[in-house]
């Protein structure tokens, strides 16, 4: 993966440039582009690449207005492109405003900041410098006047206006405007603290602070844990009636009930259900694996580790634990280089199914129900299963901190039916799984990588509109997990996240409703 794509892969949400796509990406594009020209052998580029990747995750919602790209100038086939753009040193950044002509060589950013926040501000400065007609794919970033706000609902087809009151040098308002640009029924504008008439009309006392204004001229302050960009964006994206462009309106339970053929089981969205975990076991062992007529080599090793981890750490009902132990000891006894799935299945369905050892058949999703049958279900329960297992391993204090993660990695790589998922997961594992040296770090590794996947998939076709992909847990679910750096940047308090996960996924906390 790394050698093919230089320092970045497709899952980094960075457009990888080549001689074939460079013109179509950079010229006459509706979005501005910020391009990193780098060389794989350059130490500064390697050191800068995590920042570039974090920036891509951080401004994913800005994509219609500005996108990130990168090109590896050490790759001989790219040399001509880099020479044409006059690149002599690495890393170099060039900004291409929206609708750049094919004559454009881009605007070189000299002495650019090396941190995400600084780069984000730099991008906003460059977007604002656009000197042709304002590109339609970029929201207005200028400050709003009293007159504009008074006439807002006559001239804009939205239901809600969020106003960020702030000082002139604050970037929060513009960042939130871009964060919300892909959402419907809401617009965001910034208002300066010098707009004294508006400030007193809204009763503003803090800068920054965010107020909601609707067409009935009702004013309310947005309640957030901290007055900062991430908290505003997070809260605004989840307001009733606010939906991602192109997605249907927000749930009412009846709607969910009607759009799936199966009976809807009401559930608590903030709890783990054993029914999902047992359903994941059924699906993985009886459906997913059944696609493999015989299992050998690395796949057999992966299966043995997966079952072994389940047999040791699955916090299930005694009969299910006993079934997993039977399957595990049968597998450990198989000393050949290959097994037949039919033999494995025979153990599951015949040897195991005695009164005191049972692997329940069929799937019955509860917390993992989707509003339609193609949403959620197995992948949701598979993530949940492994969060539970990493937490169980931590509670039991097992000797090998990587045992559960490596079992997951092996299973996903050999068997997980969604192959692009497996490729992405493996590239995350290659990047950092080896750095996990404690059981706590294993719990947090899986949590943070799951959030990376959530970030990548937010707004994707596979996202159930009733269960939007968020950076999890939300500030409402775990207020103490969320903090603020001195710079005003959001930060996760990892100690608090760990405490939260250990409780949320603990065996004592799992609900046993709806079990067969
Ligand atoms: P899920 O993301 O499945 O999460 C399930 C539940 O876990 C949530 O409801 C929430 O309660 C909890 N949760 C959410 N985030 C976290 C977190 N950070 N830490 C702990 N708990 C959390 N789909 C793709 O389209 N492309 C991919 O590349 C892709 N890769 C995947 C890789 C793996 C290893 C797996 C297991 C799945 C992958 N999927 C991928 C599927 C995708 O991640 C979701 O599982 C699927 O879209 C269903 O989403 P969901 O809304 O049920 O929530």
């Amino acid at each position: 993966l790394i050698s093919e794509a230089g320092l970045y892969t497709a899952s980094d949400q960075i457009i990888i440039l080549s001689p074939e796509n460079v013109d179509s990406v950079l010229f006459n594009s509706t979005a501005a582009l910020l391009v990193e020209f780098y060389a794989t052998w350059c130490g500064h580029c390697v050191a800068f690449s995590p920042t570039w990747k974090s920036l891509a995750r951080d401004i994913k919602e800005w994509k219609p207005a500005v996108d990130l790209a990168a090109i590896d100038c050490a790759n001989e086939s790219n040399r001509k492109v880099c020479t044409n753009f006059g690149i002599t040193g690495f890393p170099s950044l060039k900004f291409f405003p929206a609708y750049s002509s094919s004559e454009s060589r881009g605007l070189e950013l000299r002495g650019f900041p090396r941190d995400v926040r600084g780069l984000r501000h730099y991008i906003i400065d460059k977007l604002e410098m656009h000197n042709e007609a304002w590109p339609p794919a970029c929201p207005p970033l200028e400050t709003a006047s009293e007159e504009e706000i008074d006439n807002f609902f006559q001239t804009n087809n939205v239901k809600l206006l969020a106003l960020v009151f702030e000082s002139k040098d604050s970037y929060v308002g513009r960042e939130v405007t871009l964060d919300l640009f892909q959402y419907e029924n809401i617009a965001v504008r910034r208002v300066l603290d010098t707009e004294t008439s508006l400030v007193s009309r809204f009763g503003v006392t803090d800068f920054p602070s965010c107020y909601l204004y609707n067409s009935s001229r009702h004013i309310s302050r947005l309640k957030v844990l901290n007055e900062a960009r991430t908290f505003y964006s997070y809260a605004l994206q989840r307001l009733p009636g606010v939906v991602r462009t192109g997605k249907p309106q927000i749930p009412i339970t009846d709607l969910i009930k009607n759009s799936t053929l199966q009976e809807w089981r009401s559930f608590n969205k903030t709890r783990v259900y054993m029914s999902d975990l047992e359903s994941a076991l059924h699906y993985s062992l009886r459906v997913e694996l059944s696609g493999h007529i015989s299992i050998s080599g690395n796949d057999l090793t992966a299966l043995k580790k997966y079952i072994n981890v389940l047999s040791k750490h699955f916090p299930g009902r005694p009969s299910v634990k006993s079934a997993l132990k039977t399957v595990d000891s049968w597998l450990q006894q198989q000393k050949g280089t290959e097994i037949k799935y039919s033999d494995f299945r025979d153990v599951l369905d015949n040897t195991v199914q005695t009164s005191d050892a049972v692997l329940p058949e069929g799937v019955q999703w509860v917390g993992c129900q989707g509003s339609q049958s193609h949403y959620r279900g197995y992948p949701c329960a598979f993530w949940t299963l492994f969060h539970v297992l990493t937490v169980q391993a931590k509670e039991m204090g097992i000797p090998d901190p990587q045992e559960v993660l490596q079992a997951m990695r092996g299973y996903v790589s050999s068997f997980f039916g969604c192959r692009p998922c497996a490729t992405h997961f493996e590239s995350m594992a290659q990047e950092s799984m080896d750095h996990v040296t404690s059981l706590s770090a294993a719990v947090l590794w899986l949590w943070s990588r799951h959030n990376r996947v959530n970030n990548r998939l937010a707004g994707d076709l596979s996202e159930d509109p009733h269960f939007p992909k968020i950076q999890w847990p939300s500030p409402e679910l775990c207020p103490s997990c969320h903090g603020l750096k001195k710079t005003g940047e959001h930060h996760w308090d990892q100690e608090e996240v760990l405490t939260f996960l250990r409780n949320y996924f603990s065996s004592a906390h799992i609900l046993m409703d709806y079990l067969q």
Side-chain angles (χ1 to χ4, degrees), residues 269 376 379-380 382-384 387 408 412 416 418 420-421 424-425 446-448 450-451 453-454 456-457 460 462 467 469-470 472 501 504-505:
K269 275 192 181 180
R376 311 194 73 223
C380 165
F382 191 83
W383 276 121
T384 311
H387 290 301
M408 178 176 183
V412 169
F416 198 60
C418 164
C421 304
H424 288 142
F425 192 74
L446 197 60
W447 159 76
S448 69
H450 190 170
N451 266 345
V453 176
N454 293 342
R456 184 154 43 77
L457 297 183
D460 197 82
S462 65
F467 297 90
K469 299 272 187 293
I470 58 165
W472 191 93
L501 296 171
Y504 190 90
F505 292 108

Side-chain angles (χ1 to χ4, degrees), residues 52-315:
W52 199 242
K53 290 183 199 180
S54 300
L55 177 68
R57 285 194 293 275
D58 189 86
I59 61 167
K60 177 180 180 269
E61 297 294 347
W62 303 11
K63 270 184 190 297
V66 58
D67 219 337
L68 297 188
I71 181 161
D72 180 6
C73 299
N75 182 330
E76 243 183 283
S77 58
N78 293 336
R79 248 344 291 182
K80 197 153 172 275
V81 174
C82 299
T83 312
N84 284 349
F85 282 108
I87 302 299
T88 49
F90 310 111
S92 288
L93 293 191
K94 283 198 169 207
F95 185 81
F96 294 80
Y99 302 107
S100 287
S101 82
S102 56
E103 314 292 294
S104 167
R105 290 291 156 263
L107 174 71
E108 172 123 26
L109 306 188
R110 294 192 187 279
F112 58 87
R114 301 295 164 122
D115 65 301
V116 169
R117 178 172 172 265
L119 285 163
R120 223 171 46 223
H121 295 175
Y122 223 77
I123 289 174
I124 288 177
D125 292 344
K126 297 294 166 269
L127 286 175
E128 287 188 311
M129 280 167 54
H130 195 92
N131 49 18
E132 316 265 305
W134 189 253
C138 187
L141 299 174
E142 73 270 14
T143 57
S145 64
E146 185 159 20
E147 192 191 346
E148 193 198 337
I149 289 166
D150 282 339
N151 298 321
F152 196 82
F153 295 103
Q154 278 101 296
T155 45
N156 290 276
N157 186 24
V158 293
K159 298 192 174 117
L160 201 57
L161 175 62
L163 294 172
V164 177
F165 287 84
E166 60 183 353
S167 61
K168 187 164 176 285
D169 56 359
S170 162
Y171 283 85
V172 173
R174 287 166 285 180
E175 290 170 341
V176 177
T177 303
L178 284 155
D179 286 344
L180 266 293
F181 189 52
Q182 296 193 62
Y183 287 77
E184 282 173 10
N185 303 329
I186 187 163
V188 185
R189 295 284 185 276
R190 65 186 298 235
V191 181
L192 294 190
D193 50 6
T194 47
E195 285 278 349
T196 43
S197 164
L198 277 175
V199 166
S200 64
R201 227 170 94 185
F202 279 74
V204 182
T205 47
D206 301 323
F207 303 95
S209 57
C210 182
Y211 286 77
L212 299 173
Y213 188 52
N214 67 15
S215 47
S216 327
R217 313 215 161 231
H218 181 262
I219 297 170
S220 60
R221 182 163 179 179
L222 186 72
K223 288 198 188 67
V224 281
L225 211 57
N226 291 294
E227 303 291 339
R229 172 219 177 185
T230 308
F231 295 88
Y232 293 151
S233 298
Y234 208 96
L236 294 174
Q237 287 165 356
R238 258 144 277 288
L239 284 177
V242 172
V243 281
R244 190 179 272 284
T245 308
K247 294 271 179 183
Q249 282 286 336
I250 289 289
I252 40 170
T253 321
D254 285 350
L255 195 85
I256 301 181
K257 268 185 197 157
N258 292 343
S259 57
T260 167
L261 292 174
Q262 283 154 16
E263 188 197 339
W264 185 257
R265 299 171 196 100
S266 50
F267 69 98
N268 181 340
K269 275 192 181 180
T270 64
R271 296 294 290 271
V272 172
Y273 286 81
M274 185 56 81
S275 185
D276 290 320
L277 303 180
E278 289 188 0
S279 298
L281 291 183
H282 165 83
Y283 190 89
S284 112
L285 303 181
R286 293 204 183 88
V287 182
E288 195 153 63
L289 285 174
S290 72
H292 300 254
I293 295 165
S294 59
I295 300 170
S296 60
N298 285 343
D299 294 347
L300 183 56
T301 312
L303 179 62
K304 284 184 174 176
K305 285 192 179 156
Y306 173 61
I307 299 286
N308 184 250
V309 158
L310 287 173
S311 76
K312 289 195 291 195
H313 311 312
F314 186 77

